[in-house]
Amino acid sequence: MSILEIIKPDDWHVHFREGDFIKSLVPETSKLYNRVIVMPNLSNPITSIAQIKKYKNEILNNSVNKNFEPLMTFYLTESLDVNELIKAFKNNLVFAVKLYPSGATTNSAKGVKNFKNIFPVLEKMSEKNIPLLIHGEVNDKKIDIFDREKIFIENELIPIIEKFPFLKITLEHITTKFAVDFVEKSNSNIKASITPHHLILNRTDLLEHKIKPHYYCLPILKKEQDRKSLVAAATSGSQNFFLGTDSAPHHINDKENECGCAGVFNTINSIQMITQIFDNENRLNNLESFLSKNGPNHYSLPENKDKIILKKLSKPLKFNKYLENNNYKIRIFNPPFPIYWDIKEELI
Ligand code: DOR
Ligand code: ZN
């Protein structure tokens, strides 16, 4: 198979940042995807309608795709104003709410410390059918970083699910076999997104011989058996898993630093490398489910009407090393294998 036609994909988890970044990041994403869920972890987290309106306008002003739709999120703090959330949801301004355990990742200091304190908000979200998007890691010095996803599921997620069985939940950027198995056996309200980098890399890639700061992300890369389990889940055709790139750019100086930030910028070649992974697994028949069908199915949205054509090249695809201008320089994720698939054209 060297030509594939699929429904245009959506990215169910992306970071656009602010200021100069947004002007380059939105064009790159809107070229490739129709709908995206936009993360709210700005330096001043998004918790109000006024912030959402301003941010969404800025994003739309930089879009290069007339069908591009940024789906906005509120940042869940223990003091989030439920009335503001309901009002935003009723007016179609907010699509979902993002839960960051406090301190777990970039700009998460204002996230949740005591999960019981958010139960009243979760109750309302369940009632109104507002999806909860979860960064599923505990932030606890006593818990080893490689165990934080599993312990979060056991100690925090299970009680949330037991108390709110009808709440629509996305366990985001899952990284472990434990999470894959958990989602597979959970009720249909809980699904998971998976990133390109967690499908491609394991912790040995990050740490062996020399440390690779551009592979550092959160949740941290896990063992090869975990990565294999993610690939099996994504390529299986199961409706429980869909793409969320978690494309999370940082300025190169903030990555190559004695205290480097977590995040992989993968937007530019994301669809191409996902296609290559499915090809390597002989699962191209399930590509459209993972990229374009399972996400809308989970979020009760229609599938996109547009299509894209993917073509297999005779030589590996070349792409730039950096996305840069006078004000910033961002490393583009470079997977450790050749990519032969490119986007040929769009059928609109
Ligand atoms: O690697 C990550 N980077 N993981 C996250 O959860 C946040 C993200 C960011 O915003 O930099
Ligand atoms: Zn993220």
Side-chain angles (χ1 to χ4, degrees), residues 13-15 39 41 98 100 135 172-173 218 246-248:
H13 181 138
V14 72
H15 297 266
M39 288 302 121
N41 62 332
K98 176 69 188 244
Y100 289 103
H135 182 110
E172 303 214 275
H173 43 50
L218 287 169
D246 196 10
S247 191

Side-chain angles (χ1 to χ4, degrees), residues 19-59:
D20 277 331
F21 270 26
I22 208 171
K23 296 192 184 75
S24 302
L25 299 175
V26 174
E28 294 301 337
T29 288
S30 60
K31 254 187 245 168
L32 297 172
Y33 298 97
N34 268 9
R35 289 167 298 198
V36 296
I37 298 186
V38 181
M39 288 302 121
N41 62 332
L42 307 184
S43 45
N44 186 15
I46 297 191
T47 54
S48 73
I49 290 177
Q51 284 170 294
I52 290 243
K53 281 187 172 164
K54 185 168 174 282
Y55 196 38
K56 186 172 180 179
N57 266 338
E58 229 179 314
I59 292 168

